[in-house]
Amino acid sequence: TAQRKIRNFAIVAHIDHGKSTLADRILELTDTVSKREMKDQLLDNMDLERERGITIKLNAVQLKYHGKDGVDYVFHLIDTPGHVDFSYEVSRSLAACEGAILVVDATQGIQAQTLANVYLALDDDLEILPVINKVDLPSAEPERVKQEIEDVIGLDTSDAVEISAKTGLNVDKLLEEIVAKIPAPTGEIDAPLKGLVFDSIYDDYRGVVLSVRIFEGVVKAGDRIRLMNSGSEYEVTEVGVNSPKPLPRDFLMAGDVGYLTASIKDITQTRVGDTITLANHPAEKALPGYREMIPMVYAGLYPTDNAKFEDLREALEKLKLNDASLEFEPEVSEALGFGFRCGFLGLLHMDVVQERLEREFNLDLITTAPSVTYHVYLTGGNMVEVENPAEMPDVSSIKSIAEPYVKATIMVPNDYVGAVMKLCQARRGEFVTMEYLDDARVNVIYQMPLSEIIFNFFDKLKSSTKGYASLDYEVDGYHASDLVKVDILLNGDQVDALSFIAHRQFAEERSRDIVRKLKEIIPRQNFEIPVQAAIGSKIIARTNIKAYRKDVTSRIHTGDPDRRAKLLEKQKRGKKRMKAVGKVDIPQEAFMTVLQSD
Ligand code: GTP
């Protein structure tokens, strides 16, 4: 049957090991895109992905491969992100596939996310094909890396292809390996329809576009489908595949990966992980779906213009469709007005969401410093969850506070173990164990507060190990800590959006640091602004932002009119990302000072 000629696979790897470059070569070799249309990292179609050189979203494409056996095969390739924040995208991609290509950089060997991705693929019972990439580089050590894969992961590497995704060397051999090793899909075509929704996006013209992997049955335009978990029903308007442009098809059948539209306008009714079936001939049981992602960090998002609150809500709803891990609910800040408290999988995720909202939905936003969720035990006996430091209950009613901990696995060459331990210790880490991977590398495992990881830990880790360390972490319960809420006062007024939570031992030092930074960031006004940090009513750090010495505007008036216009224009642009709180203008960077503090 046609299914025997289908191969569904994802490409997984540690960040920068060359997934997207390999996907480019495969697209070229299979003539999916013409030389003229080819550009680097073709599947990273978001501007943001191209600018930063990272994959943020999974991307599925269909390719035709003419095998050496003379058979025409259909490949569905899913490119996935490598950064730990986006592993949710990876797990969703894998659930749509029978196999995974594991790309390992021949100059770097196994890294933390290499392992994390292997575990995800094993969870889904996928066939894993190890591939050694970047063998064109002089520092490549393919033999050593293969041995490492055998020792650490336990995969047979005797057939592992050594490729250069950059030059294209041996990528043709890899395509043959895919045909030979990755199993064809098996679902029944005559059975009731069962399709997994693994991604979705909102399109102004077509409504919601669902990415689906059909496991059983057939679906075509005109069919009435039901989303089994939400219960909603729609008439299919179009089915097709991405190649990489959308290409309508008569039908999608068991084994296919493609897209489906059904004039779905109510975006709250579609969720990734749901199962589609036919309304008049439904499957009995839905597919397993995905586990819900729990956000790791929370931050407030506020439009700089208060009138844009409803626009922000709509934008968040649409973005959530394309990013199922995003969570949000309305909140009010005395300083910033109406906004949303949003949950993110990590800081990069937060950064990406803010940028996507600004670019794709044309909004100007202020983001507050991220916070983890604290469990606050009250003297009355209740426990409340606090995601916003400003909402920490009064000290007098708190019995104890617990914070989320993670088990951090840091993979590092032997020489840097000392540096890593020093860093972890300074971040309140507790040593758990050390595992030697081979005679050159170690997995150092620490239990640490999540809040310490989200505050530039990764950058510090990289800089103290010359970039050699890689990090993976998973949540590991709550532990009681001696924490305090620190308030920031500007001109005597408490700014709720600047409050943060710190360990008592570090609160003073951190406050001094933040107060000093705020002094640099907040523009001078024509009056002096006291900046203070306080725990309750006790001031623990203070400084003053001096007033202007001269009236600057009058000087501009007398100056060159061109220059004045430029200055005003510059001021206007600067203003956009500022929020007036009382009489003081606070720029976006001020809200992030907590993050930059060492
Ligand atoms: P993310 O999508 O961000 O997870 O990264 P990725 O794994 O997709 O890596 P990407 O394809 O963006 O490649 C990372 C860098 O390695 C780029 O600068 C590539 O040009 C380079 N690169 C990829 N493959 C090769 C290779 O075979 N040889 C050499 N010399 N460089 C390569």
Side-chain angles (χ1 to χ4, degrees):
T1 66
Q3 274 182 353
R4 286 214 334 263
K5 300 177 190 165
I6 299 178
R7 298 292 180 274
N8 297 320
F9 58 93
I11 308 183
V12 297
H14 187 75
I15 193 154
D16 278 347
H17 281 203
K19 285 179 308 287
S20 303
T21 310
L22 175 59
D24 287 351
R25 288 300 86 73
I26 295 180
L27 292 182
E28 260 174 21
L29 266 177
T30 53
D31 293 322
T32 307
V33 273
S34 65
K35 272 266 182 299
R36 189 173 48 81
E37 289 171 309
M38 192 62 210
K39 49 183 179 180
D40 282 353
Q41 265 129 51
L42 191 105
L43 293 184
D44 288 345
N45 46 23
M46 243 191 273
D47 285 349
L48 200 57
E49 294 183 310
R50 308 187 67 84
E51 277 166 33
R52 298 198 183 186
I54 55 167
T55 306
I56 293 165
K57 282 293 300 173
L58 65 89
N59 267 301
V61 292
Q62 183 179 83
L63 335 160
K64 295 217 157 48
Y65 173 61
H66 187 71
K68 297 239 158 75
D69 55 4
V71 177
D72 284 317
Y73 291 92
V74 174
F75 286 177
H76 296 121
L77 174 162
I78 307 187
D79 186 18
T80 62
H83 191 280
V84 55
D85 276 15
F86 305 120
S87 65
Y88 186 53
E89 294 282 323
V90 180
S91 62
R92 297 211 323 265
S93 316
L94 294 175
C97 297
E98 276 77 35
I101 297 181
L102 177 70
V103 179
V104 184
D105 186 327
T107 67
Q108 302 243 305
I110 295 174
Q111 298 290 315
Q113 255 78 56
T114 316
L115 276 183
N117 283 320
V118 166
Y119 296 140
L120 288 176
L122 290 175
D123 280 349
D124 276 317
D125 288 328
L126 298 194
E127 182 69 31
I128 303 176
L129 287 193
V131 171
I132 315 298
N133 189 29
K134 305 199 188 180
V135 297
D136 58 294
L137 292 175
S139 54
E141 295 180 278
E143 287 312 317
R144 187 185 64 76
V145 170
K146 277 192 200 173
Q147 192 58 47
E148 198 176 76
I149 294 173
E150 300 233 343
D151 296 345
V152 178
I153 307 180
L155 288 175
D156 177 14
T157 56
S158 48
D159 293 333
V161 190
E162 297 178 15
I163 63 164
S164 165
K166 192 170 178 180
T167 66
L169 174 77
N170 288 340
V171 177
D172 55 336
K173 291 209 178 99
L174 175 60
L175 295 178
E176 282 298 307
E177 277 288 293
I178 291 168
V179 168
K181 297 270 173 62
I182 293 177
T186 52
E188 292 278 327
I189 291 175
D190 302 327
L193 175 68
K194 251 190 199 184
L196 177 69
V197 178
F198 65 89
D199 200 10
S200 60
I201 188 164
Y202 189 83
D203 180 301
D204 280 337
Y205 302 104
R206 301 190 289 171
V208 177
V209 182
L210 301 177
S211 295
V212 291
R213 158 69 202 265
I214 308 299
F215 281 93
E216 280 173 359
V218 177
V219 65
K220 56 187 187 310
D223 283 346
R224 194 158 180 81
I225 53 161
R226 178 184 303 155
L227 288 155
M228 293 183 81
N229 293 327
S230 80
S232 51
E233 294 186 5
Y234 305 94
E235 192 179 303
V236 177
T237 47
E238 187 180 306
V239 301
V241 296
N242 295 311
S243 187
K245 292 200 192 68
L247 212 65
R249 279 289 157 86
D250 294 337
F251 59 87
L252 293 175
M253 62 160 194
D256 278 335
V257 176
Y259 70 85
L260 179 156
T261 61
S263 305
I264 305 172
K265 296 288 179 201
D266 182 2
I267 48 192
T268 56
Q269 290 301 307
T270 51
R271 265 184 167 261
V272 295
D274 209 340
T275 302
I276 56 163
T277 191
L278 292 181
N280 58 9
H281 186 37
E284 271 177 31
K285 256 179 68 190
L287 294 159
Y290 307 111
R291 75 195 149 97
E292 285 276 323
M293 284 306 283
I294 306 158
M296 301 281 246
V297 294
Y298 288 83
L301 278 183
Y302 293 86
T304 47
D305 174 1
N306 284 334
K308 292 281 170 68
F309 174 74
E310 282 305 324
D311 293 0
L312 177 56
R313 180 199 299 278
E314 200 179 301
L316 281 165
E317 278 169 1
K318 284 181 178 166
L319 193 61
K320 181 171 173 67
L321 201 60
N322 193 231
D323 182 354
S325 54
L326 176 64
E327 272 191 14
F328 56 93
E329 55 181 57
E331 77 170 358
V332 188
S333 152
E334 245 173 74
L336 301 178
F338 290 95
F340 291 89
R341 176 104 328 215
C342 303
F344 306 100
L345 299 177
L347 287 196
L348 180 61
H349 184 215
M350 169 174 135
D351 215 26
V352 162
V353 166
Q354 176 175 5
E355 261 200 75
R356 287 189 70 184
L357 286 169
E358 297 199 316
R359 287 179 185 217
E360 295 169 32
F361 301 93
N362 204 12
L363 292 163
D364 281 314
L365 301 171
I366 293 275
T367 323
T368 65
S371 161
V372 299
T373 306
Y374 296 95
H375 285 176
V376 181
Y377 294 87
L378 303 173
T379 44
N382 286 347
M383 187 272 278
V384 288
E385 294 193 356
V386 175
E387 293 153 6
N388 181 351
E391 275 159 21
M392 189 55 85
D394 191 71
V395 199
S396 60
S397 61
I398 297 176
K399 199 168 77 195
S400 64
I401 304 176
E403 62 180 327
Y405 266 64
V406 295
K407 186 179 136 202
T409 304
I410 298 155
M411 198 181 285
V412 73
N414 282 343
D415 298 352
Y416 297 101
V417 170
V420 167
M421 292 179 85
K422 198 168 145 218
L423 179 64
C424 291
Q425 234 94 36
R427 299 289 182 123
R428 299 194 279 139
E430 287 151 38
F431 177 76
V432 179
T433 187
M434 219 151 68
E435 294 161 357
Y436 283 85
L437 297 173
D438 46 40
D439 47 7
R441 273 191 318 160
V442 195
N443 253 341
V444 185
I445 297 168
Y446 264 85
Q447 203 183 38
M448 292 174 75
L450 172 61
S451 65
E452 299 286 347
I453 295 251
I454 62 174
F455 294 140
N456 73 5
F457 177 76
F458 190 57
D459 292 342
K460 281 269 149 64
L461 182 67
K462 281 280 175 194
S463 60
S464 53
T465 61
K466 296 221 172 81
Y468 280 119
S470 59
L471 166 75
D472 190 42
Y473 58 84
E474 57 189 358
V475 185
D476 191 33
Y478 273 75
H479 296 253
S481 292
D482 189 11
L483 301 169
V484 289
K485 176 186 149 201
V486 181
D487 293 318
I488 300 287
L489 292 83
L490 289 180
N491 205 21
D493 298 327
Q494 186 191 321
V495 181
D496 58 358
L498 286 173
S499 296
F500 63 95
I501 294 180
H503 193 270
R504 192 182 301 276
Q505 220 184 310
F506 303 111
E508 249 187 70
E509 199 187 314
R510 189 132 144 228
S511 298
R512 273 199 301 271
D513 198 35
I514 289 169
V515 161
R516 186 172 47 75
K517 289 214 172 87
L518 286 176
K519 181 181 172 176
E520 287 162 19
I521 294 169
I522 294 175
R524 291 180 175 203
Q525 322 264 328
N526 49 17
F527 56 93
E528 188 168 86
I529 310 165
V531 185
Q532 299 162 302
I535 300 176
S537 56
K538 185 172 162 239
I539 305 292
I540 55 170
R542 69 184 312 153
T543 186
N544 287 322
I545 301 172
K546 295 233 159 51
Y548 288 130
R549 246 169 286 139
K550 279 181 193 142
D551 186 353
V552 187
T553 42
S554 70
R555 264 215 343 242
I556 299 170
H557 278 289
T558 57
D560 157 16
D562 252 14
R563 201 174 141 250
R564 176 160 175 254
K566 264 191 207 138
L567 250 161
L568 285 177
E569 182 53 34
K570 203 170 150 199
Q571 265 174 6
K572 221 165 75 197
R573 262 185 286 130
K575 269 256 158 54
K576 266 190 166 175
R577 282 290 209 93
M578 289 229 228
K579 195 88 189 180
V581 176
K583 286 194 285 178
V584 185
D585 284 337
I586 309 181
Q588 163 72 66
E589 305 101 273
F591 297 95
M592 290 298 145
T593 46
V594 186
L595 273 189
Q596 286 128 27
S597 128
D598 332 87

